[in-house]
Amino acid sequence: SQELEQSPQSLIVQEGKNLTINCTSSKTLYGLYWYKQKYGEGLIFLMMLQKGGEEKSHEKITAKLDEKKQQSSLHITASQPSHAGIYLCGADTNNQGGKLIFGQGTELSVKP
Amino acid sequence: SAVISQKPSRDICQRGTSLTIQCQVDSQVTMMFWYRQQPGQSLTLIATANQGSEATYESGFVIDKFPISRPNLTFSTLTVSNMSPEDSSIYLCSVENPTGYGYTFGSGTRLTVV
């Protein structure tokens, strides 16, 4: 099984709708990172979470970290076609800095 | 955030040949990380490159196959040696942002081995 599980694997939403992507770790989280990837391209850094209960926002995207559950959620409010892409969560589970493991990604499509 | 210039952006190579990928960072960084993203898969860390010492490879990756150079604090190269079609992937470098907030990735090198 994956050390970092993302769900759902894919998501199709109507423009304007809200959505949530989850990322669950089987190990202790020392840092949780959210990225967006356009198909076949590099990763765009969205947010970093380190403390339990922490919540960060970037434009209409909000991420939370539940340290006890070893889980993070990414919430997009009023989705737009520009939000389409693959969302990846990455985690530092060794407290070694930089050595991240990644989830399988969630492919988001937003229908106009 | 750090700014990384990664080259080439893509290449199609013959099996048995080697390709060297370069990453240039706009600031000095202690560690640079190299990842691989196989088709339809997520990212997997290949190795960590420190300036002035040999790279540290993750399980499943060896220096003979993926030699890395780190001549200074702003530059690193990854070579994919003796390529086979199974090496077809996107290769990305990464560094910690100077602020300590998050990690920036290069734009990736899409490699196809034929």
Side-chain angles (χ1 to χ4, degrees), chain A residues 33 35 37 39-43 45-49 56 88 96-105, chain B residues 31 33 35 37 40-43 45 48 56 58 90 92 97 100-108 110:
Chain A
Y33 306 81
Y35 290 87
Q37 184 178 31
Y39 178 73
E41 298 181 7
L43 277 65
F45 173 61
L46 297 175
M47 277 168 285
M48 164 182 159
L49 303 163
K56 294 270 179 73
L88 289 160
Q96 292 181 6
K99 294 188 175 185
L100 305 183
I101 60 170
F102 282 85
Q104 291 290 91
Chain B
M31 293 187 287
F33 307 92
Y35 287 82
Q37 186 177 30
Q41 304 293 317
S42 193
L43 282 77
L45 181 65
T48 302
T56 304
E58 299 300 305
I90 298 173
L92 303 104
N97 288 319
Y101 182 65
Y103 294 84
T104 291
F105 281 77
S107 54
R110 177 181 282 277

Side-chain angles (χ1 to χ4, degrees), chain B residues 8-111:
Chain B
S9 59
R10 58 179 61 222
D11 208 341
I12 300 173
C13 300
Q14 295 291 323
R15 66 175 67 203
T17 62
S18 298
L19 175 71
T20 296
I21 302 166
Q22 301 179 1
C23 274
Q24 177 76 51
V25 190
D26 69 339
S27 56
Q28 293 185 339
V29 293
T30 304
M31 293 187 287
M32 292 182 72
F33 307 92
W34 286 98
Y35 287 82
R36 180 177 73 180
Q37 186 177 30
Q38 293 178 298
Q41 304 293 317
S42 193
L43 282 77
T44 301
L45 181 65
I46 298 171
T48 302
N50 294 313
Q51 194 267 336
S53 63
E54 281 205 359
T56 304
Y57 289 82
E58 299 300 305
S59 176
F61 298 96
V62 294
I63 188 171
D64 289 346
K65 177 66 177 178
F66 298 102
I68 288 172
S69 77
R70 186 79 204 276
N72 57 54
L73 291 173
T74 63
F75 187 80
S76 179
T77 66
L78 170 78
T79 298
V80 186
S81 303
N82 188 24
M83 289 184 286
S84 66
E86 292 70 39
D87 294 319
S88 298
S89 298
I90 298 173
Y91 293 85
L92 303 104
C93 60
S94 172
V95 301
E96 184 176 22
N97 288 319
T99 57
Y101 182 65
Y103 294 84
T104 291
F105 281 77
S107 54
T109 297
R110 177 181 282 277
L111 170 62

Side-chain angles (χ1 to χ4, degrees), chain A:
Chain A
S1 63
Q2 292 286 328
E3 290 185 11
L4 207 58
E5 292 274 358
Q6 269 186 252
S7 63
Q9 290 187 7
S10 63
L11 197 52
I12 302 173
V13 299
Q14 200 69 38
E15 183 176 359
K17 296 294 185 184
N18 302 335
L19 63 106
T20 300
I21 299 168
N22 292 304
C23 177
T24 303
S25 173
S26 61
K27 295 184 176 182
T28 301
L29 291 169
Y30 294 95
L32 192 289
Y33 306 81
W34 283 101
Y35 290 87
K36 179 184 175 184
Q37 184 178 31
K38 291 281 191 180
Y39 178 73
E41 298 181 7
L43 277 65
I44 300 168
F45 173 61
L46 297 175
M47 277 168 285
M48 164 182 159
L49 303 163
Q50 285 187 302
K51 301 175 183 177
E54 191 173 16
E55 182 173 319
K56 294 270 179 73
S57 291
H58 172 75
E59 298 175 346
K60 291 187 177 180
I61 302 174
T62 300
K64 299 179 184 180
L65 180 63
D66 186 330
E67 199 173 47
K68 288 183 180 178
K69 290 184 180 179
Q70 297 177 174
Q71 184 177 65
S72 177
S73 59
L74 183 85
H75 185 76
I76 298 178
T77 304
S79 58
Q80 301 169 2
S82 61
H83 287 129
I86 299 171
Y87 289 83
L88 289 160
C89 63
D92 176 1
T93 59
N94 291 307
N95 201 20
Q96 292 181 6
K99 294 188 175 185
L100 305 183
I101 60 170
F102 282 85
Q104 291 290 91
T106 295
E107 185 169 8
L108 172 64
S109 300
V110 180
K111 287 188 172 180

